[in-house]
C-alpha cells in the first residue's frame, strides 16, 4: 500500500536574480527577475523529510554589482519549521537537489538527519581541480568541511534514480549542475515534482525557455523534457507564482480526497 504523504511549501522570502541567469541569454530577458526561496517538508510513513534546507538572511546575499539583489526582510528556516510544529532535530532525512549555496548552506541546522546528495555532485564540488567552477564566494567551504566531518556518517551518496522512501524518488538530471537531482513524491495518489533548479520558473517549462545558469546545456534540456514526461504537478523552488497556485502552502489541498477515493466516487 502506498504511504500517505503531505507536502508543505516553506518560503524564506523574496529576492531577485539577473534575467540571463533565469532565462537563456538568446531569449532576451535581461531585466532582474523576482524570485523566492522555497523549500519543502514531506511528512508521512513515520518520517519527516526536507527537500533542500532553505536559506537564512537573504538580505546578506544582496549584491548591487549584479548578483542576487532586492531582498526584503526574510524568514529563517528554523522559524518556518517551527510555524508548522517541527524542529530541526525532528528532520529524519534531508534531500539536497544540488550543492549551490542557496541549496546547502543550512545543512548544519539538522544534526540527526540522513543527508541524501548525488554522488557526481558531491565528488565534483570537493575536487580541487574544479576550483574555477566552485569559487569560494558562492560555494562556502566551511559547510563542505562540515559535510565531510560532522555529517560524515550520515551522508548517503546516490546516483541515477534512487528511492529515498517508498513513493519518494530522486532522479539525477545533471543539467543545472554536474549531479543535480529532482525529487518525485506521491501525495494523495498524485505525483508532485520538485525540480530544484532545473526549472527556476514555470515559464522555463510552459514557454520552453531553458535556464541561463547551467553546467551541461544538453542535459538541462533533457531534464526539462523529463520533468514534463513525469506528468505530475511541478513546484519550482524559485517562482513567486507558487504562492498563487498553492495559497495554503500545503498538499493535499483541504477538501480534496485522494485519487483513489475520487475514482471510487
Amino acid at each position: 500500500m502506498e504511504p500517505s504523504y503531505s507536502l508543505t511549501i516553506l518560503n524564506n522570502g523574496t529576492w531577485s536574480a539577473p534575467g540571463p541567469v533565469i532565462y537563456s541569454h538568446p531569449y532576451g530577458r535581461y531585466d532582474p527577475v523576482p524570485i523566492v526561496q522555497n523549500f519543502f517538508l514531506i511528512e508521512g510513513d513515520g518520517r519527516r523529510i526536507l527537500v533542500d534546507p532553505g536559506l537564512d538572511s537573504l538580505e546578506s546575499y544582496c549584491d548591487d554589482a549584479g548578483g542576487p539583489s532586492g531582498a526584503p526582510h526574510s524568514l529563517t528556516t528554523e522559524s518556518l519549521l517551527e510555524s508548522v510544529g517541527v524542529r530541526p532535530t525532528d528532520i529524519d532525512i534531508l534531500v539536497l537537489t544540488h550543492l549551490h549555496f542557496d541549496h546547502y548552506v543550512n545543512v548544519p541546522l539538522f544534526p540527526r538527519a540522513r543527508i541524501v546528495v548525488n554522488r557526481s555532485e558531491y565528488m565534483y564540488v570537493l575536487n580541487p581541480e574544479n576550483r574555477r567552477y566552485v569559487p569560494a564566494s558562492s560555494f562556502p567551504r566551511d559547510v563542505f568541511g562540515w559535510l565531510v566531518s560532522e555529517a560524515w556518517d550520515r551522508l548517503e551518496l546516490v546516483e541515477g534514480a534512487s528511492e529515498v522512501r517508498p513513493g519518494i524518488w530522486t532522479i539525477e538530471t545533471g543539467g543545472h549542475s554536474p549531479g543535480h537531482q529532482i525529487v518525485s513524491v506521491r501525495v494523495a495518489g498524485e505525483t508532485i515534482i520538485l525540480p530544484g533548479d532545473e526549472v527556476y520558473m514555470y515559464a522555463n517549462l510552459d514557454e520552453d525557455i531553458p535556464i541561463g545558469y547551467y553546467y551541461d546545456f544538453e542535459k538541462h534540456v533533457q531534464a526539462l523534457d523529463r520533468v514534463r514526461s513525469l506528468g505530475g504537478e511541478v513546484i519550482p523552488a524559485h517562482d513567486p507564482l507558487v504562492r498563487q497556485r498553492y495559497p495554503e502552502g500545503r498538499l493535499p489541498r483541504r477538501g480534496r480526497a485522494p485519487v483513489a477515493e475520487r475514482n471510487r466516487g
Side-chain angles (χ1 to χ4, degrees), residues 118-206:
N118 179 269
R119 180 182 301 276
S120 295
E121 184 82 353
Y122 183 79
M123 300 305 292
Y124 191 93
V125 299
L126 293 183
N127 184 343
E129 294 179 357
N130 299 322
R131 61 176 58 88
R132 288 181 176 176
Y133 178 84
V134 288
S137 58
S138 295
F139 293 81
R141 303 291 196 256
D142 58 332
V143 185
F144 288 156
W146 184 89
L147 284 171
V148 300
S149 55
E150 285 87 344
W152 181 261
D153 293 331
R154 295 185 284 117
L155 276 175
E156 179 177 347
L157 303 183
V158 298
E159 51 195 339
S162 178
E163 189 174 40
V164 178
R165 294 288 301 171
I168 303 174
W169 288 79
T170 59
I171 302 169
E172 183 175 342
T173 52
H176 174 64
S177 63
H180 188 286
Q181 56 189 5
I182 64 177
V183 177
S184 170
V185 56
R186 298 283 290 172
V187 175
E190 299 182 355
T191 299
I192 306 298
I193 306 299
L194 307 177
D197 281 3
E198 297 288 11
V199 179
Y200 284 132
M201 315 292 278
Y202 284 111
N204 296 124
L205 278 178
D206 298 343

Side-chain angles (χ1 to χ4, degrees), residues 48 50 88-95 107 110-116 146 151 153-155:
R48 289 190 173 100
L50 210 60
T89 52
D90 295 330
I91 300 301
D92 300 292
I93 302 171
L94 172 59
V95 179
V107 292
F110 304 97
R112 54 174 293 273
R114 166 183 149 212
I115 300 170
V116 179
W146 184 89
D153 293 331
R154 295 185 284 117
L155 276 175

